[in-house]
Amino acid sequence: MCMVTSHWQRQDVTEDYLENVRGGIPFGAEQARIMLQVIHHFNPYPRKVIDLGCGNGFLAKIILKSFPDASAILLDHSKPMIESAKENMKIYNKRCDIILDDFHSIDELADSHSVDCIVSGFAIHHLPHSQKKQLYNKIYHLLSKGGIFINMEHTASATAELEALYDELFIDHLSSYNKKDRETVAKEYHSRPDKEDNILETVTVQLDWLKDIGFKHTDCYFKWFELAIFGGVKK
């Protein structure tokens, strides 16, 4: 399962996302809070955590801060993102390993049935659907009994009209967040190079995949149009 070369391996794309988009994602703080609440409910003392497509380490950092006994493995195929993660995670460098590689190496990150929590933030949607399903299977086998998978993700809208509404509202939000002219933001948003890397699927379909694999308590824990948090527990 090798991730194809993407725009995220470019320094300029990475920097623009981290500076102008990631922090401005609508309800970002609420999403992080919900992720922690779900983890705490199902696996309140996680010790081994994997962050897939870690970016600058945003999710892993929150988890390590919230669960002091946890250690984390961070994986990303983008060298600029990995360099950003190394800088961002300095305070936790004794509790994490940061690895530059594709998702195909997930089998090498840990033994089967040994990981308490696997998270991913806005990364898996870059995979073709067949590879998404393969990855979800591998995640299931890595998780220990009671282990939880949480995907904070960009998903497909149910209809073209809802997609258009999402785009308009997201542009409004970015314009306000970055204090930039809306027309400029809209042009940048629709012409951004990384858009070509998006291979979106609906939450409903992906939850069905997780159920078929064997995950329990599968649900969408949060959703704002195309932004969703979903996952399940290995029982």
Side-chain angles (χ1 to χ4, degrees), residues 44-61:
Y45 305 104
R47 291 187 174 273
K48 184 178 291 187
V49 177
I50 295 178
D51 184 352
L52 297 174
C54 64
N56 68 347
F58 173 77
L59 295 184
K61 189 173 186 178

Side-chain angles (χ1 to χ4, degrees), residues 60-106:
K61 189 173 186 178
I62 292 173
I63 291 172
L64 293 185
K65 181 178 181 179
S66 302
F67 301 99
D69 293 328
S71 62
I73 300 171
L74 287 71
L75 178 75
D76 204 293
H77 81 301
S78 166
K79 186 174 181 180
M81 285 294 191
I82 285 293
E83 294 304 315
S84 181
K86 289 179 179 178
E87 181 66 26
N88 192 38
M89 298 295 290
K90 277 184 177 179
I91 189 174
Y92 296 116
N93 62 358
K94 293 183 179 179
R95 294 171 56 196
C96 67
D97 293 316
I98 302 175
I99 300 170
L100 174 65
D101 210 336
D102 290 346
F103 286 145
H104 76 274
S105 68
I106 185 174

Side-chain angles (χ1 to χ4, degrees), residues 132-168:
K132 288 183 180 75
K133 289 189 279 188
Q134 291 174 24
L135 181 61
Y136 292 157
N137 266 291
K138 292 186 176 186
I139 287 171
Y140 186 82
H141 288 293
L142 281 179
L143 287 172
S144 59
K145 183 177 181 181
I148 185 164
F149 167 54
I150 299 182
N151 194 7
M152 188 180 293
E153 186 61 299
H154 185 185
T155 65
S157 290
T159 68
E161 191 67 27
L162 285 170
E163 179 181 356
L165 175 58
Y166 164 78
D167 288 340
E168 290 300 306

Side-chain angles (χ1 to χ4, degrees), residues 189-213:
Y189 177 86
H190 288 296
S191 64
R192 66 194 191 279
D194 60 278
K195 191 174 182 179
E196 298 176 8
D197 296 330
N198 292 343
I199 307 173
L200 306 183
E201 184 54 276
T202 65
V203 172
T204 302
V205 169
Q206 294 187 73
L207 285 175
D208 286 341
W209 293 345
L210 296 184
K211 292 174 185 176
D212 291 343
I213 290 168

